[in-house]
Amino acid sequence: MRKMWKILFGLFWYIISSQANPILGLFDPKCKIEYEDACPHRDVDFWLFTRDLRENPLKLNASDLHASDFAFKEHNLYILLHGYTGDRDYSPNVYIRPALLDTEDAYIISVDYGRLVPYPCYMTAVENLPLVAKCLGQLINNLVEEELVENDKIHIIGFSLGAQVAGQTANYLKNKLKRITGLDPAKPLFAFANSEYKLDSSDAEFVDVIHTDVVGRGMLASLGHVDFYPNLGTIQPGCDNENPKDPGSCNHDRAPQYYAESVRNPNGFWSYSCRSWLYQMFDLCNDRTKVQRMGHRVNKSDSSLSPILLNPLSLNESVSLFRPRLPLKIILHGYNQNRDLSPNREIRPPLLYYEQVYVISLDYSVYTKRPCYYPWTVYSAPTIAKCLAYFIDDLIARDYFARNDIHLIGFSFGAQVAGLTANYVKEKLYRITALDPARPGFMTTNLSEKLDSTDADFIDVIHSDPMFFSYLNPLGHADFYPNLEDFHQPGCPIWPFLRVCNHYRAPAYYAESIYSIEGFWSYNCGNWSYYLTHQCYLYDDIAMEKMGYHLAHSARGSYFLNTNSQPPYAQGQLIQTELNTVDGA
């Protein structure tokens, strides 16, 4: 409630004093609407920056473009649009342009229309935006038609009013853009505007939006395919003491600052999915396991790509889907899950973003969803495994993949299905990753009825709940036990009836291992009993290994590590110490 009053007070203060107040300048004679709308226009300039033109940008004429200025068609083109009272060296340019040039050999066009959006002329500035959008649309159309830039390599990044310009530009383009990023899109005079006048998800194949000042200058409503609300989109850390003459400016300006950091920082601004801003406001986001990365490295596959349903009986029609030849990851879900739930929601996005791979998500939820009796689910495991084995054999027989291209990643019940698949394939599986393999229903001494180390050339296992849902004893060639000494994962409740949190940490850790620079470094300790009795010194000569996706296939034995209580979970490289005795002490 205290947070709610703080937000309401901020909204009131913004209305009466913000420099973006549309009432300001209403009768100022210097505030004029530009009625001459022919493009190119004298008040809309396009400045080309590259690494060689960082300090001396080239002014472009949309009607007289030169191929020599765009010599490398493979380079991406970023178009930066400033906000109210801005120019080519105003936010977001001052943050994002150097970040892009430092990290990528790209073309950057900073659009300057500052003469059309001066202070205190907010209302006329809004009226002048269609002119800017029209001229930008002309430039993009000419660049594409003259084959100077590929349409799919163009990415517009707009801040505040610039985000609304980006949306309006879509009205003038001959080809739909691949991506538009809106950085705290301006709210005054746009909150109730028609879609043709403001940014929305129809303006590009992928639209991502960062909201940092929803109580003031920025839009509260979701506008894109993915919308991010750092710190609830309200008061950003460090912005508590606002400039009284320009309230909200610090929060508003954080959107381009966050985006610039996302360009430089590979760790990223990881965010969890919630049904709506209001749900988060009242702390109703109970499921925080579906994550996405905010900013430059956002995973566009979640919203812009539709999966293809494969027919195992007519794979001859799918040959083009598997070209070029790349590794194949097959993901198997657990009980009461499906192709879009664990471990798919954790693992599939970073796989598609960071790795050149194909991903097939199996869906056998008809056998595993509640209220189906769990023993019936266990009884169906061999049938699912047999169907998967037939599918894998066919992929190999058609030479779509080699045996060592295929990697099965199974969580809980899915890990056991991966193991059972070994009973039916014609050629031995290459790698299985088992994420907290299910123990209930699979407590048998018959190895053909559960996952074991004979099921593939290499099997790595992560045990995140070995006391209830999964096994304490090793099952693979390399078994990892994060936080075993505590018998629960940091950040998870300690009560037995809430141990499902521990269970689901296995796919979360594995997903982070795909992109983590620090890595889940682990040390060998023989087995769990040696670890719990502090006898790991017996195994000091065995090299440490990195748990997860990038694990070396030569790893053997049981490994142990600690993690953080929240993302990023990885703690990085371990420091090994040696204790020597001197004079018996």
Side-chain angles (χ1 to χ4, degrees):
M1 187 59 69
R2 186 176 180 182
K3 182 189 290 186
M4 175 68 80
W5 279 111
K6 196 172 185 179
I7 291 173
L8 292 175
F9 177 76
L11 178 59
F12 171 75
W13 182 251
Y14 164 80
I15 291 172
I16 64 174
S17 58
S18 173
Q19 290 188 13
N21 190 329
I23 299 175
L24 291 177
L26 190 59
F27 303 105
D28 194 310
K30 71 178 179 181
C31 300
K32 298 179 181 180
I33 299 174
E34 181 58 62
Y35 291 104
E36 181 184 337
D37 63 351
C39 295
H41 193 278
R42 62 183 179 276
D43 290 332
V44 183
D45 297 327
F46 304 103
W47 295 93
L48 176 64
F49 291 80
T50 65
R51 287 180 169 175
D52 295 332
L53 299 173
R54 187 189 291 254
E55 303 300 331
N56 298 293
L58 177 68
K59 187 175 181 179
L60 299 175
N61 182 344
S63 298
D64 186 23
L65 298 169
H66 302 284
S68 59
D69 297 330
F70 299 91
F72 303 98
K73 288 183 62 177
E74 69 275 11
H75 288 184
N76 290 321
L77 169 61
Y78 298 97
I79 299 176
L80 304 183
L81 298 164
H82 63 74
Y84 176 51
T85 73
D87 55 45
R88 76 173 196 194
D89 293 321
Y90 188 79
S91 189
N93 294 277
V94 66
Y95 307 116
I96 297 175
R97 192 169 64 218
L100 287 170
L101 291 176
D102 287 347
T103 57
E104 182 180 350
D105 202 357
Y107 296 113
I108 299 175
I109 294 177
S110 292
V111 186
D112 192 331
Y113 45 96
R115 294 183 294 274
L116 296 175
V117 292
Y119 177 82
C121 312
Y122 185 83
M123 186 169 287
T124 56
V126 171
E127 293 293 329
N128 288 330
L129 296 188
L131 170 61
V132 182
K134 180 180 179 181
C135 293
L136 177 55
Q138 179 196 51
L139 173 69
I140 294 174
N141 289 333
N142 290 347
L143 286 170
V144 174
E145 288 177 355
E146 295 176 29
E147 298 185 349
L148 302 181
V149 177
E150 294 181 18
N151 188 73
D152 288 354
K153 293 187 177 295
I154 299 174
H155 177 189
I156 298 181
I157 304 171
F159 167 54
S160 191
L161 281 185
Q164 305 296 7
V165 172
Q168 294 182 23
T169 301
N171 301 331
Y172 301 95
L173 296 177
K174 296 180 180 180
N175 301 290
K176 199 169 191 176
L177 292 179
K178 276 289 185 181
R179 183 179 178 186
I180 292 175
T181 296
L183 303 175
D184 213 30
K187 176 169 59 181
L189 302 183
F190 291 98
F192 303 104
N194 293 331
S195 61
E196 64 182 297
Y197 296 111
K198 66 181 179 183
L199 179 68
D200 67 50
S201 60
S202 68
D203 293 328
E205 290 187 22
F206 183 75
V207 177
D208 58 309
V209 183
I210 299 176
H211 305 259
T212 55
D213 188 27
V214 299
V215 300
R217 305 175 185 212
M219 297 283 282
L220 170 61
S222 298
L223 302 175
H225 296 96
V226 289
D227 289 72
F228 297 90
Y229 297 84
N231 307 297
L232 204 59
T234 55
I235 299 174
Q236 304 303 314
C239 291
D240 298 323
N241 298 318
E242 283 278 13
N243 179 358
K245 296 182 179 180
D246 194 14
S249 58
C250 177
N251 298 305
H252 196 43
D253 206 38
R254 281 296 171 86
Q257 292 177 38
Y258 291 155
Y259 191 89
E261 183 175 335
S262 77
V263 175
R264 299 181 185 275
N265 187 348
N267 293 330
F269 293 89
W270 285 98
S271 318
Y272 57 84
S273 177
C274 189
R275 184 173 179 179
S276 71
W277 180 88
L278 201 58
Y279 268 64
Q280 173 64 16
M281 182 65 165
F282 291 102
D283 199 25
L284 298 176
C285 303
N286 297 320
D287 181 6
R288 301 187 178 189
T289 55
K290 183 177 182 180
V291 295
Q292 173 62 283
R293 181 147 41 167
M294 179 182 81
H296 191 61
R297 305 168 194 269
V298 65
N299 181 16
K300 300 180 287 295
S301 65
D302 275 355
S303 301
S304 61
L305 299 180
S306 297
I308 297 172
L309 180 62
L310 297 175
N311 183 352
L313 300 179
S314 57
L315 280 179
N316 58 314
E317 300 173 3
S318 305
V319 60
S320 61
L321 297 177
F322 302 117
R323 293 293 178 266
R325 189 156 173 166
L326 298 170
L328 171 64
K329 310 296 177 181
I330 299 178
I331 302 179
L332 297 92
H333 64 76
Y335 177 62
N336 201 38
Q337 305 294 304
N338 59 38
R339 69 177 175 88
D340 290 322
L341 298 179
S342 288
N344 292 277
R345 61 184 171 191
E346 295 94 350
I347 296 172
R348 195 169 62 212
L351 274 177
L352 292 173
Y353 185 86
Y354 288 100
E355 301 294 316
Q356 291 291 316
V357 297
Y358 296 110
V359 178
I360 292 178
S361 294
L362 249 65
D363 194 327
Y364 38 87
S365 54
V366 65
Y367 295 108
T368 63
K369 61 186 177 182
R370 291 193 181 106
C372 292
Y373 189 44
Y374 182 74
W376 297 346
T377 297
V378 173
Y379 184 77
S380 68
T383 301
I384 300 169
K386 186 179 293 186
C387 292
L388 175 57
Y390 174 86
F391 179 66
I392 291 173
D393 288 341
D394 203 12
L395 288 174
I396 295 173
R398 295 178 185 277
D399 198 32
Y400 294 170
F401 300 96
R403 182 186 72 90
N404 58 2
D405 290 331
I406 301 174
H407 176 192
L408 274 59
I409 305 171
F411 167 54
S412 191
F413 172 77
Q416 297 291 0
V417 171
L420 297 182
T421 302
N423 299 332
Y424 305 102
V425 288
K426 295 178 180 178
E427 295 185 57
K428 192 173 185 177
L429 296 170
Y430 178 64
R431 180 181 179 185
I432 293 175
T433 294
L435 305 174
D436 219 30
R439 182 165 56 118
F442 296 94
M443 293 181 288
T444 175
T445 57
N446 187 343
L447 296 184
S448 66
E449 296 178 357
K450 67 177 181 179
L451 175 76
D452 72 271
S453 60
T454 66
D455 292 332
D457 288 351
F458 182 69
I459 296 177
D460 55 312
V461 185
I462 298 178
H463 304 257
S464 58
D465 187 30
M467 303 307 297
F468 188 80
F469 284 106
S470 190
Y471 294 85
L472 181 60
N473 288 326
L475 298 175
H477 298 95
D479 288 71
F480 293 82
Y481 297 84
N483 309 294
L484 179 64
E485 198 165 25
D486 297 327
F487 288 102
H488 81 278
Q489 302 304 314
C492 285
I494 61 174
W495 298 285
F497 56 88
L498 293 176
R499 294 208 57 93
V500 67
C501 172
N502 299 283
H503 194 42
Y504 281 79
R505 281 296 172 86
Y509 294 156
Y510 194 82
E512 185 177 317
S513 76
I514 296 170
Y515 58 83
S516 174
I517 295 177
E518 290 80 8
F520 292 90
W521 286 96
S522 316
Y523 56 90
N524 195 302
C525 194
N527 60 48
W528 60 267
S529 63
Y530 279 83
Y531 174 79
L532 295 177
T533 55
H534 304 287
Q535 300 184 65
C536 296
Y537 64 88
L538 298 172
Y539 299 88
D540 283 347
D541 59 332
I542 300 178
M544 291 185 292
E545 297 289 351
K546 197 186 289 188
M547 179 185 80
Y549 185 75
H550 299 287
L551 174 64
H553 288 203
S554 58
R556 292 293 184 274
S558 297
Y559 295 83
F560 302 84
L561 69 154
N562 292 321
T563 69
N564 297 321
S565 61
Q566 58 187 6
Y569 294 111
Q571 294 187 348
Q573 186 74 45
L574 300 173
I575 299 176
Q576 286 187 314
T577 61
E578 183 176 338
L579 183 64
N580 296 316
T581 60
V582 179
D583 295 330

